[in-house]
Amino acid sequence: MAAQTLSRMVSRVSRDMLRGVSDFGYLIALLGESFYWPVFGPRRKQPVRIEAVFTQMMQIGVEAIPILAVLTMAVGIMLAIQLVNTLELFGVESQVVLAVAKAMTREFGALMTAILLAGRSGSALAARIGSMVVSQEIEALRVMGIDPVRYLVVPAVIAFAIMTPALVVLADAMGIIGGGLFSTGPLNMTMETYIRTSIEVLTVGDVMQGLSKGLVFGILIALVGCSAGFSVRGGAEGVGRATTRAVVLSLTYVIIVDMMFTWFMNV
Amino acid sequence: MPKKTAQPAEYVLEVEDLVVEYGRRRILDGISMNVRAGEIMVIMGGSGSGKSTLLRHLLGLEVPAGGTVRMLGRDVSEMTNTEMDDLRQHVGVSFQSGALFTSMSVGENVALPLRERQNLDDNTIRIMTRLKLELVSLAGFENLMPSQLSGGMIKRAAFARAIVMDPKLVFFDEPSAGLDPVVSAELDELIIKLRDALGTTIIVVTHELESAFRIADRITVLDHGRVLVTDTVDAVRNCQDQRVQDLLNRTPREMKIDADDYLRRLTEEEPEYVD
């Protein structure tokens, strides 16, 4: 009996691992196709439509601006509060400007953008493609000779790749302004000086670190969302599961990749 | 364009010894059939006869375990993705549920194949779309969303989308399923009209006897993954095969129970399913 339970456990674990590996392989394949179609699509009479990319860019990027601005400003304020309190212990609270600016540009701008996009757009992508799978719309595309990856995935990946870094810039700026809103008081400094100092202490490398992270996170979220959508089986419940999976998986990937990025760029 | 082959153009679709297995179960067992140019072929069978699976394989959506499908003279399994995509411009499909894109209007749905696969200007696309919508009596409905249409209208819009590229071969999956008798008769008329007007070869998959007899030139009867008979309407009606007669007369299938088998099914352990 115990042997049987054990064998079942082993078989389940190995099945889950296999699934993980095959899911990851699918992501890589989708990434490959995302490079393939823009280059070879026109030759196959299936160009990637620029209008589709713009539509996605509106949904993913422009429409996310207000909520992202509020979120990152809040993060900036929180960072400033914590840092003022901590740095006060060492008597160097004037370094808050530097700390907030570096933390936002190197880390939190990209991370907050990724969290918002995973919850807002990655899940929407999974739900959209998932419900298209359920209602046979993907098969309809295939039998029309329209490649679903070219038509649905590539515009999303391109839009994410362009818009995520753009949003990271906004996130950085709003975070620094948020930091300024709190710390100008304790530091006895004007907002103008605060921002000028922030810009002075930042290097190109700091900003680039956040931007390159943003680019990678954006592509990851798009790929995970699409692959979760395509993997939908079994009706509305499947769509719900895929949406959850898209969010959880993309956040997991984002945070692990973030850790690796930070490690290799700073250690 | 599909390459010219030595094959006479008479057959638009040739299926030879098609075998499909899902796990240990054999769904299609040596299906062979031919469809001639310009005819309406009805593939008929009850639930579980394998007709939907056959359709998916005819459309090249899945890879069979054995056998060949030749569409418009080309072996489907030997074609590259690009060749397949090009071939598909000559094939139209109307799905059972319609499979209209819910985020697009009726007009955009019908225009999509033209927009994505042809280099045409907007005016031409609009005219061609309206032409096909006229044909299925949906003129003036092009700005409606699929959710605003009735069941019959969805099917007709799906017809229009299937024929917008003037395909040589059109598949209809259960055209009259879930519709009232009047609407379903109208759809049957429409299928015959399409064939007469455009000379298209049409393959209809259905379980509705009445509709099958009304529209078919020839009927292929499928049962438990095998072809029982392929013949003209009259010949199928007069076919002496017991199972064909059972299907035509709607006789319930007899359940044969093997005592040993029954006991085994009751007592066997849950098999471990692998996705």
Side-chain angles (χ1 to χ4, degrees):
Chain A
M1 206 54 190
Q4 217 171 30
T5 321
L6 188 72
S7 106
R8 271 202 191 157
M9 257 173 62
V10 170
S11 102
R12 160 152 298 175
V13 169
S14 37
R15 205 160 53 214
D16 287 352
M17 273 171 63
L18 253 179
R19 190 175 169 199
V21 171
S22 86
D23 281 358
F24 191 74
Y26 188 61
L27 282 190
I28 302 291
L30 275 185
L31 180 67
E33 286 204 50
S34 306
F35 286 109
Y36 172 87
W37 283 109
V39 180
F40 295 102
R43 211 173 299 170
R44 284 180 61 174
K45 283 180 267 160
Q46 294 211 49
V48 176
R49 302 280 171 200
I50 197 83
E51 308 90 54
V53 177
F54 280 133
T55 314
Q56 290 283 319
M57 281 168 71
M58 277 300 286
Q59 287 170 2
I60 294 162
V62 179
E63 289 168 19
I65 287 175
I67 179 77
L68 183 69
V70 172
L71 277 185
T72 44
M73 191 183 272
V75 170
I77 294 173
M78 285 188 298
L79 265 179
I81 296 171
Q82 299 288 9
L83 287 168
V84 166
N85 286 342
T86 314
L87 294 176
E88 226 170 23
L89 299 177
F90 305 98
V92 285
E93 63 265 38
S94 60
Q95 294 304 313
V96 167
V97 189
L98 176 89
V100 168
K102 296 251 181 201
M104 276 315 295
T105 50
R106 287 171 165 223
E107 198 60 62
F108 291 108
L111 192 60
M112 288 311 295
T113 309
I115 290 174
L116 177 75
L117 286 187
R120 194 180 169 275
S121 310
S123 57
L125 209 53
R128 174 159 157 251
I129 293 180
S131 49
M132 288 181 79
V133 169
V134 171
S135 58
Q136 282 188 306
E137 288 173 42
I138 299 291
E139 282 180 1
L141 280 177
R142 285 180 63 194
V143 299
M144 283 177 204
I146 299 172
D147 192 285
V149 174
R150 189 268 298 179
Y151 185 71
L152 295 168
V153 178
V154 180
V157 173
I158 296 176
F160 264 96
I162 296 172
M163 290 317 277
T164 319
L167 287 175
V168 171
V169 174
L170 174 82
D172 292 350
M174 293 311 289
I176 290 171
I177 291 172
L181 284 182
F182 177 79
S183 41
T184 40
L187 296 184
N188 214 357
M189 188 187 250
T190 63
M191 194 66 180
E192 199 196 335
T193 331
Y194 177 90
I195 289 176
R196 196 172 325 119
T197 322
S198 292
I199 294 171
E200 273 165 18
V201 295
L202 282 178
T203 63
V204 174
D206 294 331
V207 181
M208 284 311 287
Q209 207 177 118
L211 288 186
S212 49
K213 278 180 185 174
L215 175 71
V216 175
F217 294 168
I219 293 174
L220 255 179
I221 294 167
L223 292 177
V224 171
C226 293
S227 85
F230 281 120
S231 71
V232 165
R233 299 286 175 273
E237 201 192 323
V239 177
R241 266 202 307 269
T243 315
T244 314
R245 225 170 104 76
V247 177
V248 174
L249 258 186
S250 49
L251 284 181
T252 311
Y253 280 142
V254 160
I255 289 173
I256 290 175
V257 169
D258 192 5
M259 186 267 292
M260 285 169 19
F261 244 90
T262 311
W263 179 284
F264 287 116
M265 289 182 127
N266 297 292
V267 177
Chain B
M1 281 294 282
K3 280 180 201 153
K4 293 225 161 45
T5 55
Q7 197 66 33
E10 196 194 348
Y11 290 128
V12 175
L13 185 78
E14 297 154 83
V15 182
E16 220 180 285
D17 210 20
L18 187 72
V19 176
V20 175
E21 287 165 344
Y22 289 154
R24 274 181 298 175
R25 289 182 57 202
R26 188 165 271 216
I27 310 292
L28 295 180
D29 192 4
I31 301 275
S32 295
M33 59 180 283
N34 296 312
V35 180
R36 297 191 190 111
E39 78 173 339
I40 300 181
M41 164 69 90
V42 172
I43 299 173
M44 200 169 72
S47 306
S49 59
K51 56 186 192 308
S52 308
T53 310
L54 176 60
L55 178 67
R56 296 181 57 77
H57 283 82
L58 295 184
L59 296 175
L61 289 173
E62 280 170 45
V63 182
T68 53
V69 175
R70 294 175 69 84
M71 202 190 284
L72 303 171
R74 307 271 328 256
D75 187 335
V76 168
S77 60
E78 285 176 0
M79 291 166 76
T80 63
N81 286 343
T82 316
E83 288 174 324
M84 193 69 206
D85 284 346
D86 288 344
L87 181 79
R88 279 175 166 153
Q89 307 214 22
H90 305 283
V91 179
V93 185
S94 164
F95 285 91
Q96 182 172 356
S97 61
L100 295 178
F101 301 105
T102 45
S103 56
M104 297 180 194
S105 71
V106 172
E108 287 167 340
N109 259 290
V110 176
L112 186 75
L114 294 172
R115 215 173 276 287
E116 288 297 325
R117 295 308 314 265
Q118 304 273 321
N119 262 330
L120 297 171
D121 60 282
D122 283 354
N123 261 332
T124 317
I125 290 180
R126 191 166 53 239
I127 291 170
M128 287 177 77
T129 306
R130 286 186 183 161
L131 214 63
K132 293 301 190 281
L133 283 173
E134 287 281 351
L135 204 60
V136 299
S137 322
L138 276 181
F141 290 93
E142 57 186 285
N143 291 324
L144 262 62
M145 299 304 280
S147 57
Q148 296 170 300
L149 300 184
S150 70
M153 287 159 90
I154 287 180
K155 294 262 170 147
R156 280 187 280 153
F159 279 24
R161 191 176 68 184
I163 57 169
V164 75
M165 303 272 280
D166 291 324
K168 297 190 174 89
L169 176 62
V170 182
F171 290 88
F172 289 115
D173 187 10
E174 302 279 4
S176 42
L179 300 175
D180 69 65
V182 176
V183 176
S184 105
E186 282 170 5
L187 286 175
D188 289 344
E189 286 302 314
L190 184 60
I191 291 174
I192 297 172
K193 190 168 104 184
L194 290 181
R195 194 268 307 265
D196 294 345
L198 307 171
T200 319
T201 310
I202 294 176
I203 297 175
V204 180
V205 175
T206 186
H207 65 271
E208 310 250 341
L209 296 171
E210 251 181 80
S211 153
F213 286 134
R214 200 156 39 208
I215 58 179
D217 291 321
R218 288 194 304 151
I219 296 180
T220 295
V221 183
L222 226 57
D223 186 53
H224 288 98
R226 290 167 183 274
V227 174
L228 291 184
V229 59
T230 301
D231 219 325
T232 58
V233 175
D234 290 332
V236 168
R237 268 210 181 102
N238 299 322
C239 178
Q240 291 308 310
D241 187 293
Q242 189 55 46
R243 281 179 296 171
V244 175
Q245 283 305 320
D246 283 351
L247 191 70
L248 298 190
N249 299 322
R250 303 185 159 105
T251 319
R253 275 174 291 188
E254 266 184 56
M255 299 291 248
K256 275 182 274 173
I257 295 183
D258 176 332
D260 289 341
D261 204 30
Y262 178 65
L263 268 178
R264 185 185 55 76
R265 283 204 304 270
L266 289 184
T267 53
E268 79 181 345
E269 294 239 351
E270 283 282 318
E272 285 270 311
Y273 288 108
V274 180
D275 295 330

